[in-house]
Amino acid sequence: MKKIAIFASGSGTNAENIAKFFSDSSIAEVCALLTNNPKAGALGRMERLGVPAFTFTNREFADGTAILAKLSEFDVDLIVLAGFMNMISAPLLAAFPQRIVNIHPALLPLYGGKGMYGQHVHEAVVAHHETETGITIHYINERYDEGEIIFQARCPVLPDDTPDEVAAKVHLLEYRYYPEVIEKVLLSLPPRLDS
């Protein structure tokens, strides 16, 4: 059984959706949630699902030692980012090469980079009169939103769509595809060298 750790900073709707998807899976389970936000809605969602949750400081995240120890304790195979707002630290990248995935609410390379997250993305899509947008699931590297793309899905943007209406369409794509793509990534993972 593969082990997934979810990193989240916000309300946790994607984290909850992923945990529910794998709750009766024979392939993988969500074994832990880690967050840099002690007030994250994701904490309550994971508690209700019986998933252990842990908070950490930005200093602990940059250093990596305590977080890597926690991930090792749970024998984590894959890190999944679900609304996690920090740049992934060098120690985590080194310990989990091509084993950290993220979802971005636009069709990268469009509307990516520092400061482009959540509602900021949808507002930019509307302001630029795009006719479509969507999601990008990608591996993480040392730069925001520039890791290898795994999967994209698209939805139309109508001329009178508001940013909130665009967000609703994008969220439907996230909930539908992110768990399925995570499962495919897990199935393709080679055994960890240290396991």
Side-chain angles (χ1 to χ4, degrees):
M1 177 83 74
K2 302 282 190 185
K3 303 289 183 68
I4 302 166
I6 298 178
F7 282 53
S9 300
S11 68
T13 54
N14 266 316
E16 181 179 36
N17 187 50
I18 293 162
K20 285 180 175 177
F21 179 89
F22 286 103
S23 63
D24 59 356
S25 169
S26 60
I27 295 165
E29 66 176 342
V30 174
C31 63
L33 173 90
L34 290 92
T35 182
N36 59 332
N37 178 6
K39 297 180 179 178
L43 289 166
R45 292 176 188 275
M46 292 298 105
E47 182 179 7
R48 287 190 291 276
L49 294 173
V51 175
F54 307 92
T55 58
F56 54 83
T57 65
N58 287 335
R59 180 175 293 191
E60 287 172 325
F61 187 65
D63 172 72
T65 305
I67 293 170
L68 287 172
K70 186 61 69 178
L71 296 173
S72 177
E73 177 185 326
F74 282 95
D75 200 21
V76 168
D77 295 284
L78 185 71
I79 296 172
V80 171
L81 307 185
F84 184 67
M85 293 295 112
N86 279 21
M87 173 79 84
I88 296 301
S89 61
L92 264 72
L93 283 173
F96 287 86
Q98 295 292 90
R99 287 177 182 267
I100 307 174
V101 297
N102 184 45
I103 190 165
H104 185 76
L107 298 170
L108 292 175
L110 299 175
Y111 306 107
K114 187 171 175 60
M116 291 304 284
Y117 60 89
Q119 202 68 4
H120 299 290
V121 174
H122 308 311
E123 289 168 358
V125 165
V126 169
H128 287 89
H129 308 290
E130 298 288 352
T131 58
E132 67 174 5
T133 188
I135 59 168
T136 303
I137 299 168
H138 63 99
Y139 291 109
I140 287 293
N141 65 13
E142 66 279 1
R143 292 178 298 279
Y144 280 114
D145 302 324
E146 293 185 22
E148 178 189 341
I149 291 173
I150 302 166
F151 175 85
Q152 291 185 313
R154 300 166 185 270
C155 61
V157 179
L158 303 178
D160 58 350
D161 275 350
T162 65
D164 285 342
E165 289 168 330
V166 172
K169 293 178 186 182
V170 169
H171 285 146
L172 289 176
L173 294 178
E174 292 174 350
Y175 302 150
R176 176 178 175 187
Y177 290 111
Y178 203 14
E180 293 177 3
V181 173
I182 291 165
E183 185 175 67
K184 289 176 183 172
V185 169
L186 286 163
L187 289 170
S188 70
L189 282 180
R192 283 185 61 109
L193 296 176
D194 55 359
S195 62

